[in-house]
Amino acid sequence: GKPFIGPNDFTADGAGGIFFSASGIYDLKAPISGSILYLAPSTDTLVEVANLIHYSNGLTLSKDGKNLLVAEMLAGRILSFPVGAGGTLGPRTVWARLQDLAPPTAHEDAYNGPDGLKLGPDGNYYIAQNGSGRVLVVSDAKQLVRTITVPTPYVTNMNFGADGAGTVYITGVFDPWKAPFPGAVYRWTK
């Protein structure tokens, strides 16, 4: 019944429902307006299940399916919410801060936060680090496994090839401030 700003990404809940992010306003100085919405199975009603997220972006279920991980881009961190019955979310905690996972690069910009977020078929979490030109691959124990570097500084998302975790397709933008936002898709193979 109320408007939301910037639908961004989604993930299935494993029970027929869908969580998706509404990012809010993309500005470090704007009021924090990002949220997570839930669409229950067999319904067309969206319910806000979390709010006050500083530009909510990618999201995925944890490996055990008990928590929803959400990229909070403008805060530079990944949040974790316990998943309850009917798509409800419990209190948020900080799962990881990007600055703790990998040291900043020399060419990062002010909007260097997590964008796309996926649980890979290898059991690791893939975090598109928008503003640094890389994807961080992080274990369930919150340890950096590897860094995948790509030529576009604004890495937006990724997905996996049919071969399991052997191939990752990565999207990126060269300049997010000049429409039509020229970018590229890259294929990375182990």
Side-chain angles (χ1 to χ4, degrees), residues 84-99:
T88 59
L89 296 179
R92 74 188 75 195
T93 58
V94 175
W95 187 81
R97 288 178 174 76
L98 267 60
Q99 67 185 17

Side-chain angles (χ1 to χ4, degrees), residues 5 23-34 52-55 74 111:
I5 301 169
S23 296
I25 299 169
Y26 189 78
D27 188 334
L28 288 171
K29 297 177 184 173
I32 297 172
S33 57
L52 297 176
I53 300 170
H54 210 172
Y55 206 80
L74 295 180
Y111 292 101

Side-chain angles (χ1 to χ4, degrees), residues 43-183:
T43 182
D44 61 356
T45 304
L46 290 173
V47 176
E48 184 179 74
V49 291
N51 57 26
L52 297 176
I53 300 170
H54 210 172
Y55 206 80
S56 52
N57 216 309
L59 61 171
T60 191
L61 284 180
S62 60
K63 193 175 356 180
D64 63 9
K66 294 180 180 180
N67 292 281
L68 180 69
L69 302 180
V70 177
E72 188 177 32
M73 185 174 183
L74 295 180
R77 60 191 185 176
I78 306 294
L79 301 175
S80 177
F81 296 86
V83 177
T88 59
L89 296 179
R92 74 188 75 195
T93 58
V94 175
W95 187 81
R97 288 178 174 76
L98 267 60
Q99 67 185 17
D100 297 335
L101 293 172
T105 64
H107 56 352
E108 291 177 2
D109 79 359
Y111 292 101
N112 184 39
D115 197 324
L117 172 62
K118 300 269 191 287
L119 175 59
D122 60 357
N124 291 313
Y125 299 94
Y126 289 69
I127 305 167
Q129 193 173 10
N130 196 320
S132 72
R134 63 188 181 181
V135 173
L136 304 178
V137 182
V138 179
S139 71
D140 205 34
K142 303 172 197 164
Q143 299 296 313
L144 185 66
V145 174
R146 81 176 55 84
T147 300
I148 302 170
T149 304
V150 296
T152 54
Y154 300 94
V155 182
T156 55
N157 218 329
M158 68 257 113
N159 212 336
F160 307 97
D163 62 347
T167 301
V168 182
Y169 294 95
I170 303 165
T171 59
V173 176
F174 293 103
D175 188 346
W177 312 113
K178 292 183 183 175
F181 313 111

